[in-house]
Amino acid sequence: MKKFTMMMLLLAVSVLVLAACGSDEEKSTESTDDTAYKLVNEGKFTFAASGVYKPFSYEEDGELTGFDIEIGNALAEKMGLEANPVTNPFETILQGLVGNKFDAIIGSMAYTKERAEQADFTEPYYYSGGMIFVAKDNDDITSPEDLKGKKIGVIAQSTYEESAKELSDDLQYYTSDVVALKDLTVKGRIDAVITADIVGFEAIENGFEIKEVDKPMWVEQPSIAVNKENPELTKALDEALKEMIDDGTYAEISEKWFGRNLLDIDLEGVELLE
């Protein structure tokens, strides 16, 4: 009887051990599935923007807001994470990503082959044209060729910097496109600004006495930049972005800020910046 009791006790212990092992294995698998990508802050999606690029990212009443910020917040929600937007100067934002200061850049950073050497990029989350803007009363500059020898305002390390260098050897660097566009209205300060068409048109709508020159020189593909060592996060963001587009979340955000869908563009015959 004692022998039988001992055997039953051992059997019960064995079942409990096996059950515990199975539970641990299951828990481990679930953990691996849920956290396949790395985050700088557990449970939070930390993404960076310059914070000085209205209407994409800027501060209002002490809070970060704008199109880029709302896209990042929505992506975090789709992935079941807490949104944690932060700011970083645009000229050093890639270095911050590589240095693991944040998980991603959602800061209107256009994909280029050069940038793709430092970071991975998702599919584009909007399209934008690179355009020249001048003061409203400036009739001397009507094409890119007219910028030779002129002072051009541009953001350092932006996709517009290289084009500006090709058009003139006199550049004025800014950290904010809004400040650069405002300087166009100050006589003798700068002659032109090269920036995103969306930003320039937004400034015009807000009363800036400026105008566009000709048509966009190219169309760029702002995308989400992710550390190259975190491909699982890039994949997760692409999936969340597709879900946002499919369920109408993206269109709702875009319509709110611009009155149109920034992904709804005819790219046939258009030069895409790479």
Side-chain angles (χ1 to χ4, degrees), residues 162-199:
E162 288 306 312
S163 293
K165 286 179 178 178
E166 292 175 6
L167 296 170
S168 175
D169 56 4
D170 189 2
L171 303 187
Q172 175 70 47
Y173 288 101
Y174 291 86
T175 58
S176 166
D177 292 86
V178 175
V179 174
L181 291 168
K182 193 67 175 176
D183 271 2
L184 283 175
T185 64
V186 180
K187 193 171 180 63
R189 189 157 292 179
I190 55 175
D191 299 299
V193 170
I194 301 179
T195 187
D197 52 2
I198 300 170
V199 174

Side-chain angles (χ1 to χ4, degrees), residues 51-120:
V52 292
Y53 193 49
K54 193 174 182 178
F56 292 92
S57 67
Y58 63 101
E59 286 196 13
E60 186 172 79
D61 299 326
E63 295 282 336
L64 264 180
T65 188
F67 174 75
D68 285 346
I69 305 304
E70 287 203 16
I71 290 293
N73 292 345
L75 286 167
E77 184 177 347
K78 293 294 184 188
M79 295 189 295
L81 299 169
E82 180 185 341
N84 182 33
V86 298
T87 60
N88 193 101
F90 192 83
E91 56 267 31
T92 60
I93 204 165
L94 261 179
Q95 292 95 309
L97 178 68
V98 174
N100 291 312
K101 287 178 63 178
F102 29 81
D103 301 310
I105 299 170
I106 307 183
S108 293
M109 174 170 280
Y111 163 85
T112 66
K113 291 178 180 177
E114 183 178 355
R115 285 172 176 165
E117 293 177 3
Q118 300 180 66
D120 286 338

Side-chain angles (χ1 to χ4, degrees), residues 133-144:
F133 289 89
V134 297
K136 195 171 184 178
D137 61 357
N138 186 330
D139 297 321
D140 297 328
I141 299 173
T142 59
S143 70

Side-chain angles (χ1 to χ4, degrees), residues 119-131:
D120 286 338
F121 286 84
T122 64
E123 291 297 310
Y125 68 97
Y126 75 90
Y127 294 100
S128 173
M131 183 166 271

Side-chain angles (χ1 to χ4, degrees), residues 213-267:
V213 172
D214 204 9
K215 59 185 179 181
M217 294 181 285
W218 68 82
V219 169
E220 58 186 17
Q221 308 168 76
S223 307
I224 303 166
V226 183
N227 195 301
K228 278 187 170 293
E229 297 179 359
N230 207 357
E232 296 86 1
L233 180 57
T234 306
K235 180 182 177 183
L237 286 167
D238 265 326
E239 290 172 352
L241 179 60
K242 184 178 185 305
E243 185 179 342
M244 284 173 57
I245 294 169
D246 291 344
D247 68 13
T249 303
Y250 177 89
E252 184 179 341
I253 296 172
S254 187
E255 288 283 346
K256 171 186 172 180
W257 287 96
F258 305 106
R260 63 189 177 93
N261 190 324
L262 295 187
L263 283 174
D264 188 10
I265 181 174
D266 183 7
L267 296 175

